[in-house]
Amino acid sequence: MHGSRHDEAFNSLWYNKEKDCLLVGYVDEFKMACKAGQMKCAWEDIAQHIEVDEVAPLDHRLGCKHVRFETTINGTKGKGMEYNMVDYTQNCVDTY
């Protein structure tokens, strides 16, 4: 993303303060966290510099299912994400 700061300690992590977006990359996969209103613009900015596939909702990455949920903790509502690797782990057990 134009104007992004690369984190030297975490080579696959970029943060864009203007868009308040965090991007993590691994090999040829990217995952971005930002406000919904900034998401499209941020991906369009990235696509000006590298070839990217059509952006899709986050569902599965590196053998891990991403399950979104809403919760209330101590009276405060929030959103979270569960990283579910049950199928991947079962596949490993079955294979080996």
Side-chain angles (χ1 to χ4, degrees):
M1 287 177 286
H2 179 70
S4 296
R5 184 174 64 89
H6 181 249
D7 191 311
E8 294 298 324
F10 302 97
N11 289 325
S12 61
L13 189 64
W14 294 266
Y15 177 70
N16 182 287
K17 187 174 183 176
E18 178 185 318
K19 292 181 175 70
D20 194 24
C21 291
L22 183 67
L23 179 72
V24 62
Y26 182 76
V27 185
D28 65 346
E29 293 188 358
F30 296 94
K31 183 165 62 170
M32 184 185 302
C34 68
K35 294 179 182 173
Q38 294 291 340
M39 187 75 68
K40 183 178 180 185
C41 180
W43 279 117
E44 288 172 351
D45 190 19
I46 291 168
Q48 291 178 19
H49 304 280
I50 63 171
E51 183 179 331
V52 294
D53 292 336
E54 185 175 330
V55 177
L58 185 60
D59 173 62
H60 186 264
R61 183 172 185 261
L62 302 174
C64 184
K65 289 182 183 177
H66 294 67
V67 182
R68 297 172 194 235
F69 64 90
E70 294 185 11
T71 187
T72 302
I73 299 173
N74 297 328
T76 302
K77 291 183 180 182
K79 296 179 182 180
M81 177 132 354
E82 172 185 314
Y83 297 92
N84 182 327
M85 296 189 70
V86 172
D87 292 342
Y88 175 79
T89 304
Q90 185 61 55
N91 186 43
C92 290
V93 169
D94 293 344
T95 300
Y96 302 105

